[in-house]
Amino acid sequence: MHTFFNELKQGSQALGLQLSEEALNLLLKYQDALVLWNKAYNLTAIRDPKEMLVKHLLDSLSILKDLPQGRLLDIGTGGGMPGMIIALCQPERECVLLDSNGKKIRFLKQFIADLKLKNVIAVQTRVENEDSINELGQFDVITSRAFASLTDFVDASKPYMHDSSIIASMKGLIPEEEVALLKAQFSCDIIELNVPRLDEQRHLLLLKRI
């Protein structure tokens, strides 16, 4: 059994999730691959696996219960957070992980190939690239953990949206001013997240076109 298996299981249960043993093992394989590749490619500033478990795995898992159904796009996925973590836990969901960083996308493509994952692809492109917008089409859910600015994330998401798409933005503190600026166009549900062993505020903002 993996060193962190029980810790991940308990952490996910604390988030109200009942993940299968298979899903937990896949998540730990992903973390192991991230640790290994990180030595050469600097995929994430977090190096300690125990810290990764909390700040990457559990943090990404914290949105799973509240995430709407459907085809998902993860913009600025970096090393795959939260997109890869969602894909591993929900094999029935089609996920596209998008980033302009070649090293990070190479890592994700290799991991997808090694595990023969069928529901997820990684694409190296800039989010505003028109060819990518045309090729990838529209998504039911668009997520990101990477954008500093909520308004920038919403602008980046718009070309990939249909009328009932939902933007799922992971945030620390609630960006009250930006939410207020968007309220003429979007309704916003704010969900407070409690990530086990993380002493920082976390929120999920679900935005839908009015």
Side-chain angles (χ1 to χ4, degrees):
M1 191 189 283
H2 194 286
T3 322
F4 294 127
F5 183 87
N6 286 329
E7 233 170 302
L8 179 59
K9 186 176 183 178
Q10 287 161 9
S12 61
Q13 286 173 343
L15 290 167
L17 302 171
Q18 294 299 323
L19 298 178
S20 67
E21 199 165 307
E22 185 188 7
L24 293 166
N25 282 319
L26 283 173
L27 290 167
L28 292 165
K29 275 184 185 173
Y30 165 69
Q31 177 166 304
D32 287 346
L34 195 59
V35 170
L36 187 66
W37 276 65
N38 208 31
K39 289 171 184 168
Y41 287 100
N42 197 23
L43 302 174
T44 164
I46 297 169
R47 306 234 164 248
D48 175 42
K50 208 164 181 139
E51 201 181 345
M52 251 185 212
L53 186 82
V54 175
K55 291 190 174 175
H56 287 336
L57 263 59
L58 293 177
D59 189 44
S60 295
L61 287 170
S62 70
I63 70 169
L64 216 55
K65 254 190 352 178
D66 299 297
L67 207 58
Q69 297 291 308
R71 186 171 184 244
L72 180 137
L73 176 67
D74 186 27
I75 294 178
T77 193
M81 281 80 66
M84 179 59 81
I85 288 159
I86 294 163
L88 293 174
C89 295
Q90 300 181 334
E92 72 289 348
R93 188 197 289 269
E94 185 190 337
C95 298
V96 176
L97 315 184
L98 192 148
D99 205 282
S100 59
N101 184 304
K103 288 176 183 176
K104 292 174 180 178
I105 292 297
R106 266 201 301 283
F107 158 67
L108 291 169
K109 283 185 170 177
Q110 188 62 54
F111 183 74
I112 289 164
D114 288 348
L115 271 76
K116 300 181 173 59
L117 301 173
K118 299 277 185 269
N119 66 318
V120 55
I121 62 166
V123 179
Q124 184 189 347
T125 186
R126 295 187 69 77
V127 66
E128 66 274 12
N129 182 316
E130 285 205 17
D131 290 341
S132 300
I133 293 166
N134 295 331
E135 198 177 317
L136 294 172
Q138 294 175 325
F139 293 82
D140 304 304
V141 188
I142 301 167
T143 187
S144 183
R145 206 173 74 141
F147 273 80
S149 154
L150 180 63
T151 40
D152 286 352
F153 176 37
V154 169
D155 286 342
S157 301
K158 280 177 182 174
Y160 298 94
M161 295 178 74
H162 53 67
D163 287 346
S164 52
S165 299
I166 292 173
I167 293 173
S169 176
M170 295 179 74
K171 287 284 171 194
L173 300 172
I174 301 166
E176 307 275 6
E177 287 178 14
E178 290 185 284
V179 170
L181 284 173
L182 291 164
K183 71 178 181 187
Q185 300 173 61
F186 290 89
S187 65
C188 181
D189 287 335
I190 299 171
I191 297 157
E192 188 176 346
L193 306 170
N194 292 300
V195 182
R197 301 211 313 280
L198 187 65
D199 190 23
E200 295 171 27
Q201 283 197 47
R202 286 286 188 272
H203 294 89
L204 176 65
L205 276 58
L206 298 175
L207 292 102
K208 192 172 182 181
R209 272 201 179 108
I210 293 169

